[in-house]
Amino acid sequence: MEFMNVKIRQSTLAVGIVIAIACSLSGCNDSNTTSSSTQDPEAYKKAAEDAVVKMTVDEKLNIVMAPGIDFAKTNTLGVVSANPVTNLKSDTLGTVGYINGVLNDKLNIPAVKLADGPAGLRINYSRPGDSGSYYATAWPIGSLLASSWDAALVEKVGRAIGEELKEYGIDIILAPGMNIQRDPLNGRNFEYYSEDPLLSGKIGAAMVKGIQANNVGATIKHFVANNSETNSHFVNAIVTPRALREIYLRGFEIAVEEAQPWVIMSSFNKVNGIYTNERSDLLTDILRNEWGFKGFVTSDWFAGTPETTAYKQLLAGNDLIEPGGNLEALKSSFTNGDITEQQLNTNVVRILTQVFKTPSYKNYAFSNQPDLNSHATLARRAAAESMVLLKNQNAVLPLAKNQLLASFGITQINTIKGGTGSGEVNNQKTVTIAEGLSSQFTTNIALETLYGDYFTNNKVFHPGYYGIGSFTSCEEPDIDVSVIETAVQSSDVAVITLGRIAGEGADRTNSRGDYLLTETELKLIENVSAIFHEQGKSVVVVLNVSGVMDTAEWADKVDAILLAYLPGQEAGNAIADVLSGAVNPAGKLTQTIPVNYADVPSSSTFTGVDTDGDGKPDDVYYNDDIYVGYRYYQSFDKPVAYSFGYGLSYTTFSYTDASMMSSTIKKGEGGNISLSVTVTNTGNISGREVVQVYINAPEAKLKKPTIELKAFAKTAELRPGSSEKVVFNIPTKTLASYDESNNQWIIESGEYRVYISPSSDIANIEPITFSVPEEVTVSQTTPEAMALPHGVSAADFVTIIR
Ligand code: BGC
């Protein structure tokens, strides 16, 4: 049998190579070649190697250098290329980058189209002279999706996003975003998943798998340490190699190993003095040689040094320069000998290996009709299942259908579906919170009219930049006490919605109206709570926000708080589903909510220091080192408002029989520990529970955070009284810490404590222990990779030390 299997595999591989080579010769116009035989990565690589032989140097340079953007012509209608896109077979308005094709007497390789982004496909919804519409689904933002802790759900969303790409003629999406949420004020945190690398990696891998199941490509970004927006194109992140390995690189590593994204996008910033897209230790030694990445690396748009030195990116392993443009400068670099043809071949082969997988290459006849209806249903479910219930005093939620709602807050009208910038989506309609609530409850019409009219008269449209980054704001109206006193007479409960938008290009601030509530918002909470509580009626706050904000100032005044983040186009429906109990919330925090912003370990160094006096930060010192998020709060006993991993349900769960099933820790990457726990629904309604495994490791020579997340799982929907045995297999590699002085991942000897817990608050959890008798070397890494700049040592800037 074994022999038969081997034979079959060999012959399918051979067929795959033949088909792929045939395609490379003629330009493959047969959409049937998506059979599994052509999915073999080696066959695509072989075809790319064969193609490169038939290309001139100019054709190769034209592949690595994208055609550029003509800003004079680019407007809200979409990006217009500066130069003709070579061999573009069809265009999709809203495409943000191309890879030039090749057309000569031996090759017919079509151009490939790239579009954003992390909350769904960003293309233009209309086209001049065309009555059709090209809407895409606006999904929940990354931070919300990740709060599901549900890889299967995220993979489903990925599949739907991939289908939209494919049916709109896009080959590669510039998503998911996987940077670590180092500081709550990073303006792009909404695109990202978590402060924890394991969670980011697993959720990112699920998203990539889902997207790529459609034979279109995913791009994990921004590689690496792109953790603030202020001067983001030039800022220099100064980070220890250990923090890079354990925190900032780790999620990307997991996504590469588990899902092999077609593309990885290097970031704008420098790390330890050098632009990421010029670091061969990052893009070649670590990414390819250590992790086995098989795709290609693209630059971020307009990233890095002047155009005249673009060749440095190619040398480092940044294969594609986006959006490209100055082909002549690159040609001069080639003529000057800055870059060899052999190097170019390497870059081109990597790109073409992926190009040959694309729908454009396979001449896929896209329909322009993705299944938007079923995607809307999934977007609603994904949003509702991911929201985090932070507070639910006296079980005021879920609300009974017959309760009369008084809905306060301008955000119920100006509901925020997502962030701005490249992470936005052109969807057809966003269901507002007012609409969602009134479709499932009886709401107070007078209040809704008041807010609706106020919005009409006071809204401000911010146009953004070339049509990107536009949004509408409206300040919170100052609601008179008499209005609340009237409303309370005909209502059973108050719902107050607070909103915060954020976007690419700017960080948030620790100020009123941003991280902190405005005086008007505080007054609204104060007055509504006082008046409703006086009559024995409850107050619920819904946070329609891009990221973490202050709760310490007001949380004790209200009965329930639902963190809805930016839920995408089905916002109002999904929020109403949770408030009504149609969906039992099962999301948990993927980032800690601190008591005060000043408690955040990076708050003293965010957004960096201005060293040249131009008013912009130049260097960001990662003073928090490996103590990011809960790793800090737990290790230093710092109280938090809401812990990482925390989230309530309308039911309760018990954890019993936590035990270690087996342990086979051994040298190298093999082996694992296996654990199990029984989770029982001890409440009255069905629900799902996110179960987390934290490990406290001994400190032999390395200092360690008190606990680190090493595994997680989400139960199936458990009926009241029913149980599920949850099993965790934790690979040896996941237990390792990075020993910078020896360039090694090691598992230190000593006693390990395992906490199987509903959140990172493990205070009341009885640990399971196991011992590692002697130090285990898991893997050796590239010496000196990502070293600190000359003359800088960790002692100079790391302020958080155990
Ligand atoms: C962003 C990327 C995005 C690209 C193309 C850049 O400004 O940083 O995330 O994919 O633009 O829109």
Side-chain angles (χ1 to χ4, degrees), residues 27-50:
C28 190
N29 294 324
D30 180 2
S31 56
N32 295 327
T33 55
T34 48
S35 70
S36 60
S37 58
T38 55
Q39 303 305 306
D40 185 279
E42 287 308 311
Y44 287 110
K45 186 167 176 225
K46 172 79 173 58
E49 284 165 353
D50 290 347

Side-chain angles (χ1 to χ4, degrees), residues 96 116 122 174 188 191 221-222 265 268 300-301 422 504:
V96 77
D116 286 305
R122 183 167 69 89
L174 303 170
R188 281 183 98 170
E191 298 184 36
K221 68 186 187 184
H222 309 87
M265 184 189 290
F268 290 129
D300 199 347
W301 268 232
S422 58
E504 183 176 345

Side-chain angles (χ1 to χ4, degrees), residues 664-673 730-733 747 776 778:
T664 56
I665 295 174
K666 53 183 180 223
K667 203 168 169 220
E669 296 193 5
N672 65 26
I673 62 167
I730 305 178
T732 297
K733 186 177 174 180
I747 301 175
V776 176
V778 173

Side-chain angles (χ1 to χ4, degrees), residues 241-509:
R242 180 173 176 198
L244 281 166
R245 292 283 185 168
E246 291 189 6
I247 309 290
Y248 299 100
L249 289 168
R250 187 75 183 104
F252 288 101
E253 181 177 10
I254 292 170
V256 166
E257 288 178 356
E258 295 190 1
Q260 276 295 344
W262 292 11
V263 190
I264 189 163
M265 184 189 290
S266 53
S267 53
F268 290 129
N269 54 289
K270 299 174 197 138
V271 174
N272 293 334
I274 303 171
Y275 282 109
T276 58
N277 60 23
E278 293 182 9
R279 294 205 72 119
S280 60
D281 52 359
L282 178 67
L283 304 183
T284 301
D285 297 329
I286 294 179
L287 179 62
R288 291 183 188 279
N289 301 343
E290 290 184 25
W291 300 352
F293 176 63
K294 305 251 184 307
F296 69 84
V297 181
T298 179
S299 67
D300 199 347
W301 268 232
F302 306 103
T305 48
E307 298 178 306
T308 46
T309 51
Y311 70 89
K312 289 187 185 170
Q313 298 186 27
L314 303 176
L315 291 178
N318 190 107
D319 308 295
L320 176 68
I321 297 167
E322 284 288 355
N326 201 338
L327 191 56
E328 289 314 310
L330 191 60
K331 277 185 188 167
S332 306
S333 302
F334 180 77
T335 318
N336 299 340
D338 291 329
I339 182 165
T340 62
E341 186 161 2
Q342 198 185 358
Q343 174 64 48
L344 264 185
N345 290 347
T346 302
N347 300 119
V348 171
V349 165
R350 288 176 188 153
I351 296 170
L352 288 186
T353 302
Q354 306 311 317
V355 165
F356 288 168
K357 299 176 184 173
T358 59
S360 281
Y361 183 73
K362 292 179 176 172
N363 203 11
Y364 178 72
F366 54 94
S367 63
N368 280 323
Q369 284 176 338
D371 189 355
L372 295 179
N373 288 334
S374 77
H375 296 179
T377 307
L378 179 60
R380 175 173 178 169
R381 199 187 107 204
E385 286 189 7
S386 306
M387 287 175 191
V388 187
L389 183 61
L390 295 177
K391 182 172 183 183
N392 193 16
Q393 205 160 303
N394 303 325
V396 296
L397 295 177
L399 304 172
K401 287 267 181 188
N402 59 1
Q403 278 182 295
L404 303 174
L405 263 58
S407 178
F408 296 90
I410 198 66
T411 307
Q412 66 177 303
I413 309 290
N414 194 24
T415 299
I416 311 170
K417 67 172 188 219
T420 67
S422 58
E424 55 192 59
V425 177
N426 298 311
N427 57 307
Q428 183 164 16
K429 151 119 188 95
T430 298
V431 180
T432 68
I433 294 171
E435 289 166 340
L437 292 180
S438 59
S439 74
Q440 296 193 37
F441 299 95
T442 304
T443 50
N444 185 309
I445 303 290
L447 275 182
E448 210 176 308
T449 310
L450 182 157
Y451 278 104
D453 291 348
Y454 186 88
F455 180 68
T456 309
N457 298 327
N458 294 281
K459 64 183 175 191
V460 181
F461 180 70
H462 308 263
Y465 183 68
Y466 294 113
I468 302 172
S470 61
F471 69 102
T472 300
S473 68
C474 182
E475 66 178 39
E476 193 66 53
D478 193 356
I479 300 291
D480 199 78
V481 168
S482 62
V483 173
I484 306 170
E485 282 170 348
T486 308
V488 77
Q489 303 310 326
S490 56
S491 312
D492 299 317
V493 60
V495 175
I496 305 175
T497 304
L498 302 175
R500 290 290 184 276
I501 196 162
E504 183 176 345
D507 286 312
R508 299 173 53 206
T509 54

Side-chain angles (χ1 to χ4, degrees), residues 468-688:
I468 302 172
S470 61
F471 69 102
T472 300
S473 68
C474 182
E475 66 178 39
E476 193 66 53
D478 193 356
I479 300 291
D480 199 78
V481 168
S482 62
V483 173
I484 306 170
E485 282 170 348
T486 308
V488 77
Q489 303 310 326
S490 56
S491 312
D492 299 317
V493 60
V495 175
I496 305 175
T497 304
L498 302 175
R500 290 290 184 276
I501 196 162
E504 183 176 345
D507 286 312
R508 299 173 53 206
T509 54
N510 179 29
S511 59
R512 298 225 170 270
D514 195 339
Y515 188 80
L516 300 166
L517 267 54
T518 61
E519 298 292 351
T520 314
E521 288 170 330
L522 284 171
K523 195 170 131 200
L524 181 69
I525 290 183
E526 183 86 48
N527 290 343
V528 170
S529 300
I531 293 167
F532 273 69
H533 286 159
E534 207 175 86
Q535 302 220 1
K537 297 176 179 177
S538 315
V539 178
V540 177
V541 168
V542 173
L543 297 175
N544 177 202
V545 296
S546 69
V548 169
M549 61 186 290
D550 177 69
T551 55
E553 245 183 331
W554 54 272
D556 61 338
K557 298 195 169 50
V558 303
D559 306 284
I561 306 173
L562 178 67
L563 175 58
Y565 279 112
L566 308 182
Q569 66 180 39
E570 297 297 315
N573 285 333
I575 288 168
D577 285 344
V578 174
L579 296 187
S580 68
V583 172
N584 185 355
K588 295 201 179 180
L589 288 176
T590 66
Q591 44 187 336
T592 309
I593 304 185
V595 177
N596 294 303
Y597 174 69
D599 298 338
V600 178
S602 56
S603 61
S604 59
T605 53
F606 192 84
T607 55
V609 287
D610 175 12
T611 55
D612 60 11
D614 66 354
K616 298 178 196 152
D618 302 291
D619 294 326
V620 190
Y621 288 93
Y622 281 40
N623 67 302
D624 42 346
D625 205 37
I626 55 170
Y627 298 101
V628 174
Y630 70 89
R631 284 169 166 78
Y632 168 73
Y633 303 107
Q634 277 286 340
S635 304
F636 295 87
D637 294 325
K638 197 90 195 162
V640 298
Y642 301 100
S643 308
F644 174 83
Y646 165 88
L648 298 170
S649 164
Y650 295 151
T651 187
T652 48
F653 298 95
S654 72
Y655 289 45
T656 51
D657 303 331
S659 64
M660 179 111 168
M661 295 161 72
S662 65
S663 162
T664 56
I665 295 174
K666 53 183 180 223
K667 203 168 169 220
E669 296 193 5
N672 65 26
I673 62 167
S674 185
L675 305 148
S676 71
V677 70
T678 300
V679 177
T680 306
N681 183 344
T682 50
N684 297 324
I685 61 165
S686 296
R688 300 180 69 191

